[in-house]
């Protein structure tokens, strides 16, 4: 099992930036991928971005391409989400997720891929 702790959320104005962090602990030695999802009130959880742990390949939802950047620090077992040009529709709780084994055989942009989740961090973009 992997424990995930997110940080970096908060209140920001339209056009501003935030950087989210997610620190992983526990069974991280075989980490396969990590991702970010978000959930707005009354909506389903949606994919934001993901990164393969060994190769660093990145994946993004279409609406986030060019504005969001996912990265990881393998030495710190931490994944980051840099969010720029924020819009009111980016307001949501952002969740970090881990695929520690790579055995779910689900697409990297689906919640089914990930077995461990953080508690979430609120991002609010005000206009």
């Amino acid at each position: 099992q992997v424990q995930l702790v997110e940080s970096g959320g908060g209140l920001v104005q339209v056009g501003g930036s935030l950087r989210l962090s997610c620190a992983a602990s526990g069974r991280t030695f075989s980490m396969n991928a990590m991702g970010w999802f978000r959930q707005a009130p009354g909506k389903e959880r949606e994919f934001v971005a993901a990164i393969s742990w060994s190769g660093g390949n990145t994946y993004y939802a279409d609406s986030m391409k060019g504005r969001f950047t996912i990265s990881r620090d393998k030495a710190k077992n931490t994944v980051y989400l840099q969010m720029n040009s924020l819009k009111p529709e980016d307001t949501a709780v952002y969740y970090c997720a881990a695929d520690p084994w790579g055995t779910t055989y689900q697409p990297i942009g689906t919640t089914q891929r990930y077995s461990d989740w953080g508690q979430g961090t609120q991002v609010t973009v005000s206009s």
Side-chain angles (χ1 to χ4, degrees):
Q1 188 176 4
V2 175
Q3 293 77 43
L4 303 170
V5 178
E6 301 106 331
S7 61
L11 175 64
V12 64
Q13 291 187 334
V14 170
S17 299
L18 281 176
R19 188 175 85 150
L20 306 183
S21 301
C22 174
S25 60
R27 300 179 72 89
T28 60
F29 55 89
S30 62
M31 188 69 74
N32 181 262
M34 292 187 71
W36 287 96
F37 290 74
R38 69 185 186 185
Q39 189 166 18
K43 295 187 177 181
E44 293 188 354
R45 192 167 297 190
E46 66 170 343
F47 172 66
V48 174
I51 188 166
S52 64
W53 203 248
S54 59
N57 296 322
T58 57
Y59 308 83
Y60 297 94
D62 288 342
S63 61
M64 284 65 158
K65 287 181 181 177
R67 298 193 299 127
F68 291 7
T69 303
I70 189 171
S71 61
R72 88 262 191 258
D73 185 329
K74 295 174 70 175
K76 295 182 178 179
N77 288 321
T78 299
V79 64
Y80 304 97
L81 184 68
Q82 177 67 44
M83 305 185 293
N84 299 327
S85 302
L86 285 164
K87 307 174 182 179
E89 51 264 42
D90 294 318
T91 295
V93 177
Y94 284 70
Y95 296 92
C96 176
D99 169 21
W101 302 109
T103 56
T104 64
Y105 304 109
Q106 298 297 318
I108 201 167
T110 63
T111 57
Q112 294 86 350
R113 174 69 176 259
Y114 304 91
S115 57
D116 300 288
W117 293 82
Q119 80 287 354
T121 185
Q122 177 70 46
V123 171
T124 303
V125 184
S126 67
S127 55

